[in-house]
Amino acid sequence: MATRPELRPFQEIQSRFAAYIRDPDRHPIPAGIEARRMRIYTDLFYNNIESFIAKTFPAFREITDDDSWHRLIRDFIREHRAESPYFTHISEEFMQYLDERMKRPDAARKLWQIPPFALELCHYEWVELALDLAPDADCEFDDEPVHADDALALSPLAWPLRYAYPVRQIASDYQPAEPPDTPTWLIGWRNRHDRVRFMSSNATTIRLLKLIDEGNPNSRAFGVLAKEIGASRERVVETGLATLNRLHGHDIVVRR
């Protein structure tokens, strides 16, 4: 690693130190530092990052063989330039790295054995961490029944999710090469007891949530939805109220 004239001596030492820790196979140990101590630093650095990523994305780790997994983590450490200094943001940085990797030509993607559903699977697993760390919602939860004229909103701690792949089913014995015809609709949320949960949903329910979160009273949202899906207003009101009461009971929708 050539010395850059713009760096001061202590900065040059730091640069060499960081280069070795990020990529010990390609950079020499900085002069004057004992090899045993450098290996300790390098192992601690790698193991902390690898362990955090593995715990955040357990399903992705399970379906990835050890050799491919560690090559991927080492490449992430070596090549990716994180923009956040916070440890809890490592998982987001890793998803950004995966996205960049998956945009490369097929040959490069196959070299790293990254499945086509990897980014969606990791996002689904990341949502649990993100909701767990999210600040408390500025809203009140209640147990009163929801009526047709009520004005509701989506809880800030409830996230409608759409995936091309069935992310909840992916495991070592099920890894689809192509997405199915029907996408996977989910709702991830944190309830008033600070427990993160997921439930399966559908396009109609997600559309209803979007309508009420845009400020439409329930009755208006039901009317819009009835026209969009070609159903009778009475039927939509009946099923819509039942749905909203169920979601309200789970702390997914709240009163304005």
Side-chain angles (χ1 to χ4, degrees):
M1 179 177 178
T3 301
R4 290 175 292 181
E6 70 273 13
L7 294 182
R8 297 178 181 179
F10 79 91
Q11 292 175 320
E12 185 62 39
I13 294 174
Q14 290 177 329
S15 179
R16 291 178 181 272
F17 189 90
Y20 180 82
I21 287 180
R22 292 173 72 103
D23 191 4
D25 295 329
R26 301 185 186 182
H27 295 280
I29 295 176
I33 303 180
E34 184 184 354
R36 179 184 62 86
R37 294 184 177 182
M38 282 303 303
R39 284 194 294 270
I40 292 174
Y41 283 122
T42 302
D43 290 345
L44 284 173
F45 182 79
Y46 179 87
N47 291 337
N48 281 336
I49 292 178
E50 186 278 330
S51 176
F52 186 82
I53 294 175
K55 289 177 181 178
T56 305
F57 308 116
F60 184 47
R61 175 64 184 98
E62 179 187 358
I63 66 173
T64 308
D65 67 83
D66 288 347
D67 182 61
S68 297
W69 174 260
H70 289 292
R71 286 195 297 116
L72 200 62
I73 300 301
R74 179 59 68 189
D75 188 64
F76 165 65
I77 292 173
R78 179 176 59 244
E79 302 294 337
H80 185 71
R81 295 297 180 264
E83 297 182 359
S84 171
Y86 296 107
F87 198 78
T88 52
H89 292 173
I90 290 176
S91 51
E92 296 171 64
E93 298 286 352
F94 183 70
M95 288 193 296
Q96 182 180 333
Y97 160 80
L98 271 184
D99 186 39
E100 294 167 352
R101 271 287 178 199
M102 295 179 70
K103 289 176 180 177
R104 298 184 182 185
D106 288 345
R109 190 170 67 245
K110 290 177 181 178
L111 175 66
W112 295 99
Q113 299 183 2
I114 303 175
F117 54 77
L119 192 58
E120 287 197 342
L121 176 61
C122 286
H123 184 274
Y124 163 63
E125 297 194 286
W126 166 81
V127 167
E128 182 174 4
L129 173 66
L131 284 172
D132 188 54
L133 296 177
D136 291 341
D138 185 19
C139 62
E140 294 185 4
F141 301 108
D142 68 79
D143 298 311
E144 295 298 319
V146 171
H147 301 96
D149 293 329
D150 289 346
L152 302 178
L154 189 65
S155 165
L157 297 176
W159 298 357
L161 305 165
R162 180 191 183 280
Y163 298 108
Y165 287 89
V167 290
R168 302 186 86 182
Q169 301 174 29
I170 292 174
S172 56
D173 58 351
Y174 178 64
Q175 299 179 44
E178 299 289 340
D181 294 335
T182 304
T184 292
W185 297 93
L186 302 172
I187 301 173
W189 80 100
R190 195 176 88 202
N191 63 22
R192 70 184 76 181
H193 306 296
D194 290 328
R195 297 190 180 95
V196 176
R197 295 287 186 264
F198 291 89
M199 72 163 59
S200 297
S201 191
N202 55 66
T204 303
T205 297
I206 298 300
R207 174 59 176 152
L208 176 59
L209 289 177
K210 186 175 188 299
L211 287 169
I212 66 169
D213 202 47
E214 289 174 346
N216 294 290
N218 296 345
S219 55
R220 185 186 304 162
F222 294 150
V224 172
L225 193 60
K227 291 181 180 179
E228 291 182 351
I229 66 175
S232 70
R233 179 183 174 83
E234 292 74 15
R235 178 60 176 166
V236 170
V237 169
E238 179 183 356
T239 58
L241 272 178
T243 297
L244 290 180
N245 270 287
R246 178 170 59 88
L247 297 179
H248 181 255
H250 284 297
D251 299 334
I252 293 173
V253 294
V254 296
R255 300 182 194 279
R256 289 188 181 275

